[in-house]
Amino acid sequence: MVGIIVFIVILAAVAAIVAKGVRIIPQQTVAIVERLGKYNKTLNAGVNLIIPVIDKIRLRHDLRIHQETVPSQSVITKDNVAIGVELATFFNVVDPKLATYGIANYVGGIHNIVASALRATIGKMELDEILSNRDRIQTDLRLVLDQASENWGVRIDRVEVLQLAIPSDIQNSMEKQMRAEREKRAIILQAEGEKQSTVLRAEAQRAAVVLAAEAEKQRQILDAEAKQKAQELEAIGKAEAIKHVADAERARIEAIKLAGLDAQILAYKSFEALGQMAEGRATTIFIPTDAVNALGSAGMIGKIFDITNPK
């Protein structure tokens, strides 16, 4: 009976020792194992075996990204303005061995180097630049923190500026400046609008003057063309009339010739025609030389004029 009890005790002790040598590590977690106080190995996620009593788990590291809020830091800008800056850092462990033996407390170390890097970065920038260029602050801080934490087995993923605390008097001055800038922009926009309106009105007036001048030019051209056309038509009409008169006279003379009339009778008939012409408004009459010779004397001409024009 005693032997059975001893066997059971020994079996339980062996089971406890074996169970103690089995370690189950969760996902995204690693464990640092020391053997007799010295680093031995790193246990990854899953089932792992260690030697009980001899091996010991020193520390477990969560490999997920951690977020740490850095308390508000009072820093002075390049233009001597004291502001408070609150940051949030995002980091993760990339080398568990260095994170265990490279630094005693990497979270506290991150806080300290963030504060130091923040003062160095903000001290190179003016307040307006800080307010309008947070991305530059975050980028510069991330580069500095990456270099500083490289030997800690920690990688800084992101640095975010959560809040900037500005003194009340500076904030009031900035609000007045922003109000003045808005009023200035409004005045400039109004002036630009009036300028544009004036330019558009001037262009419209100029276009109207140009169109009126073009219209007057076209009217004058059309009037000149109409007058020219009328003169041409009138000249053509006169020429046609003269041609018809000449054709009629030619036909009459041809008819007289065919009738056998001599030159004296023709001259007399011509002077009859001249007498009829003298009854009109003409003051000068050209008499053919042949007709004068045929009549034989200037007295006959006077007689004709006396007959046609008693006055």
Side-chain angles (χ1 to χ4, degrees):
M1 191 68 176
V2 175
I4 296 174
I5 294 173
V6 172
F7 176 76
I8 293 174
V9 171
I10 294 173
L11 183 62
V14 171
I17 293 173
V18 172
K20 199 172 182 180
V22 177
R23 290 290 184 265
I24 299 176
I25 306 299
Q27 183 68 31
Q28 287 295 94
T29 303
V30 295
I32 301 298
V33 177
E34 292 181 348
R35 177 169 293 175
L36 299 177
K38 183 180 179 181
Y39 172 78
N40 178 254
K41 62 181 177 180
T42 300
L43 302 181
N44 296 314
V47 178
N48 296 270
L49 298 177
I50 62 174
I51 300 175
V53 181
I54 297 177
D55 292 339
K56 179 183 178 182
I57 293 179
R58 167 71 182 273
L59 193 64
R60 293 175 184 262
H61 291 286
D62 191 344
L63 300 182
R64 293 174 297 179
I65 293 178
H66 298 268
Q67 175 185 343
E68 286 290 332
T69 300
V70 180
S72 180
Q73 303 291 321
S74 179
V75 294
I76 299 176
T77 64
K78 184 178 180 180
D79 48 355
N80 296 323
V81 178
I83 62 174
V85 183
E86 184 177 349
L87 299 173
T89 59
F90 299 84
F91 62 90
N92 65 314
V93 176
V94 294
D95 191 334
K97 182 179 178 180
L98 283 177
T100 303
Y101 300 103
I103 186 172
N105 183 1
Y106 57 80
V107 174
I110 289 174
H111 287 182
N112 291 332
I113 63 172
V114 165
S116 176
L118 181 63
R119 291 187 179 92
T121 302
I122 296 296
K124 300 176 183 177
M125 303 172 66
E126 295 183 354
L127 180 59
D128 292 339
E129 188 179 3
I130 293 170
L131 296 175
S132 61
N133 201 358
R134 291 192 180 189
D135 291 340
R136 176 186 167 186
I137 299 174
Q138 295 169 178
T139 302
D140 291 348
L141 286 176
R142 184 178 178 278
L143 292 175
V144 173
L145 295 176
D146 270 346
Q147 294 173 1
S149 62
E150 184 177 359
N151 295 327
W152 301 349
V154 178
R155 184 177 68 87
I156 307 296
D157 187 63
R158 290 172 59 192
V159 178
E160 293 288 343
V161 177
L162 299 180
Q163 186 177 0
L164 291 173
I166 304 172
S168 57
D169 55 340
I170 300 296
Q171 190 170 359
N172 292 333
S173 299
M174 292 176 61
E175 289 177 356
K176 292 179 181 179
Q177 182 180 0
M178 291 173 61
R179 192 178 302 112
E181 287 291 335
R182 292 193 198 98
E183 293 176 355
K184 177 182 176 182
R185 285 196 296 268
I187 293 173
I188 292 174
L189 290 175
Q190 183 179 359
E192 288 290 338
E194 292 177 355
K195 175 184 176 182
Q196 190 68 18
S197 176
T198 302
V199 171
L200 292 176
R201 282 198 298 269
E203 290 180 352
Q205 292 176 358
R206 183 177 66 179
V209 171
V210 172
L211 290 175
E214 289 291 336
E216 180 64 20
K217 177 181 176 182
Q218 290 295 326
R219 187 189 65 78
Q220 293 178 359
I221 292 174
L222 293 175
D223 288 346
E225 290 178 351
K227 289 180 180 179
Q228 181 182 1
K229 190 67 175 178
Q231 291 176 356
E232 291 177 356
L233 293 175
E234 184 179 358
I236 292 173
K238 289 181 179 180
E240 291 292 332
I242 292 172
K243 180 180 179 181
H244 289 321
V245 171
D247 291 340
E249 184 63 21
R250 186 183 302 109
R252 187 179 68 81
I253 293 172
E254 291 295 333
I256 291 174
K257 288 181 178 181
L258 291 175
L261 298 178
D262 58 9
Q264 293 182 351
I265 294 174
L266 292 175
Y268 180 74
K269 292 293 184 180
S270 299
F271 276 101
E272 284 184 351
L274 292 173
Q276 294 176 359
M277 292 174 63
E279 293 178 357
R281 297 180 181 180
T283 58
T284 303
I285 300 174
F286 295 93
I287 302 174
T289 305
D290 294 340
V292 175
N293 293 332
L295 292 175
S297 67
M300 181 61 71
I301 298 173
K303 184 178 179 181
I304 293 173
F305 281 101
D306 290 338
I307 295 173
T308 57
N309 191 3
K311 294 182 181 183

